[in-house]
PDB file of all heavy atoms in Angstrom:
ATOM      1  N   ALA A  90      -8.457  20.121  10.747  1.00  0.00           N
ATOM      2  CA  ALA A  90      -8.052  19.380  11.935  1.00  0.00           C
ATOM      3  C   ALA A  90      -9.265  18.923  12.735  1.00  0.00           C
ATOM      4  O   ALA A  90      -9.293  17.799  13.268  1.00  0.00           O
ATOM      5  CB  ALA A  90      -7.131  20.242  12.803  1.00  0.00           C
ATOM      6  N   GLY A  91     -10.274  19.777  12.818  1.00  0.00           N
ATOM      7  CA  GLY A  91     -11.482  19.417  13.546  1.00  0.00           C
ATOM      8  C   GLY A  91     -12.218  18.264  12.900  1.00  0.00           C
ATOM      9  O   GLY A  91     -12.754  17.383  13.593  1.00  0.00           O
ATOM     10  N   MET A  92     -12.249  18.243  11.564  1.00  0.00           N
ATOM     11  CA  MET A  92     -12.924  17.156  10.854  1.00  0.00           C
ATOM     12  C   MET A  92     -12.212  15.823  11.091  1.00  0.00           C
ATOM     13  O   MET A  92     -12.846  14.806  11.387  1.00  0.00           O
ATOM     14  CB  MET A  92     -12.995  17.467   9.363  1.00  0.00           C
ATOM     15  CG  MET A  92     -13.666  16.382   8.532  1.00  0.00           C
ATOM     16  SD  MET A  92     -12.479  15.163   7.885  1.00  0.00           S
ATOM     17  CE  MET A  92     -11.708  16.127   6.571  1.00  0.00           C
ATOM     18  N   LEU A  93     -10.876  15.814  10.986  1.00  0.00           N
ATOM     19  CA  LEU A  93     -10.141  14.575  11.237  1.00  0.00           C
ATOM     20  C   LEU A  93     -10.328  14.105  12.681  1.00  0.00           C
ATOM     21  O   LEU A  93     -10.480  12.909  12.944  1.00  0.00           O
ATOM     22  CB  LEU A  93      -8.655  14.771  10.939  1.00  0.00           C
ATOM     23  CG  LEU A  93      -8.256  14.844   9.470  1.00  0.00           C
ATOM     24  CD1 LEU A  93      -6.754  15.104   9.346  1.00  0.00           C
ATOM     25  CD2 LEU A  93      -8.634  13.571   8.711  1.00  0.00           C
ATOM     26  N   SER A  94     -10.332  15.045  13.612  1.00  0.00           N
ATOM     27  CA  SER A  94     -10.559  14.699  15.012  1.00  0.00           C
ATOM     28  C   SER A  94     -11.955  14.129  15.212  1.00  0.00           C
ATOM     29  O   SER A  94     -12.149  13.191  16.003  1.00  0.00           O
ATOM     30  CB  SER A  94     -10.364  15.924  15.900  1.00  0.00           C
ATOM     31  OG  SER A  94     -10.642  15.632  17.243  1.00  0.00           O
ATOM     32  N   ARG A  95     -12.936  14.673  14.503  1.00  0.00           N
ATOM     33  CA  ARG A  95     -14.307  14.173  14.600  1.00  0.00           C
ATOM     34  C   ARG A  95     -14.359  12.699  14.200  1.00  0.00           C
ATOM     35  O   ARG A  95     -15.016  11.887  14.858  1.00  0.00           O
ATOM     36  CB  ARG A  95     -15.215  14.980  13.677  1.00  0.00           C
ATOM     37  CG  ARG A  95     -16.663  14.512  13.660  1.00  0.00           C
ATOM     38  CD  ARG A  95     -17.486  15.115  14.748  1.00  0.00           C
ATOM     39  NE  ARG A  95     -17.652  16.536  14.530  1.00  0.00           N
ATOM     40  CZ  ARG A  95     -18.229  17.365  15.403  1.00  0.00           C
ATOM     41  NH1 ARG A  95     -18.674  16.906  16.550  1.00  0.00           N
ATOM     42  NH2 ARG A  95     -18.347  18.657  15.143  1.00  0.00           N
ATOM     43  N   ILE A  96     -13.655  12.347  13.116  1.00  0.00           N
ATOM     44  CA  ILE A  96     -13.630  10.952  12.665  1.00  0.00           C
ATOM     45  C   ILE A  96     -12.875  10.093  13.673  1.00  0.00           C
ATOM     46  O   ILE A  96     -13.346   9.028  14.085  1.00  0.00           O
ATOM     47  CB  ILE A  96     -12.992  10.852  11.273  1.00  0.00           C
ATOM     48  CG1 ILE A  96     -13.851  11.577  10.229  1.00  0.00           C
ATOM     49  CG2 ILE A  96     -12.790   9.388  10.873  1.00  0.00           C
ATOM     50  CD1 ILE A  96     -13.218  11.669   8.850  1.00  0.00           C
ATOM     51  N   ALA A  97     -11.688  10.544  14.061  1.00  0.00           N
ATOM     52  CA  ALA A  97     -10.832   9.742  14.938  1.00  0.00           C
ATOM     53  C   ALA A  97     -11.443   9.537  16.316  1.00  0.00           C
ATOM     54  O   ALA A  97     -11.221   8.495  16.943  1.00  0.00           O
ATOM     55  CB  ALA A  97      -9.460  10.389  15.066  1.00  0.00           C
ATOM     56  N   SER A  98     -12.183  10.505  16.802  1.00  0.00           N
ATOM     57  CA  SER A  98     -12.748  10.413  18.151  1.00  0.00           C
ATOM     58  C   SER A  98     -14.164   9.852  18.163  1.00  0.00           C
ATOM     59  O   SER A  98     -14.774   9.756  19.232  1.00  0.00           O
ATOM     60  CB  SER A  98     -12.739  11.792  18.816  1.00  0.00           C
ATOM     61  OG  SER A  98     -13.564  12.704  18.104  1.00  0.00           O
ATOM     62  N   CYS A  99     -14.683   9.495  17.011  1.00  0.00           N
ATOM     63  CA  CYS A  99     -16.023   8.908  16.957  1.00  0.00           C
ATOM     64  C   CYS A  99     -16.073   7.681  17.852  1.00  0.00           C
ATOM     65  O   CYS A  99     -15.184   6.820  17.814  1.00  0.00           O
ATOM     66  CB  CYS A  99     -16.354   8.528  15.513  1.00  0.00           C
ATOM     67  SG  CYS A  99     -17.991   7.801  15.290  1.00  0.00           S
ATOM     68  N   THR A 100     -17.093   7.566  18.684  1.00  0.00           N
ATOM     69  CA  THR A 100     -17.172   6.439  19.608  1.00  0.00           C
ATOM     70  C   THR A 100     -17.630   5.156  18.926  1.00  0.00           C
ATOM     71  O   THR A 100     -17.575   4.080  19.535  1.00  0.00           O
ATOM     72  CB  THR A 100     -18.122   6.767  20.771  1.00  0.00           C
ATOM     73  OG1 THR A 100     -19.436   7.021  20.249  1.00  0.00           O
ATOM     74  CG2 THR A 100     -17.633   7.966  21.560  1.00  0.00           C
ATOM     75  N   LYS A 101     -18.073   5.260  17.684  1.00  0.00           N
ATOM     76  CA  LYS A 101     -18.513   4.081  16.941  1.00  0.00           C
ATOM     77  C   LYS A 101     -17.395   3.611  16.011  1.00  0.00           C
ATOM     78  O   LYS A 101     -16.610   4.425  15.517  1.00  0.00           O
ATOM     79  CB  LYS A 101     -19.776   4.417  16.145  1.00  0.00           C
ATOM     80  CG  LYS A 101     -20.905   4.831  17.076  1.00  0.00           C
ATOM     81  CD  LYS A 101     -22.112   5.390  16.371  1.00  0.00           C
ATOM     82  CE  LYS A 101     -23.141   5.847  17.407  1.00  0.00           C
ATOM     83  NZ  LYS A 101     -24.399   6.312  16.817  1.00  0.00           N
TER      84      LYS A 101
END
Side-chain angles (χ1 to χ4, degrees):
M92 179 268 285
L93 286 177
S94 177
R95 178 86 68 187
I96 295 173
S98 63
C99 180
T100 61
K101 299 171 183 184

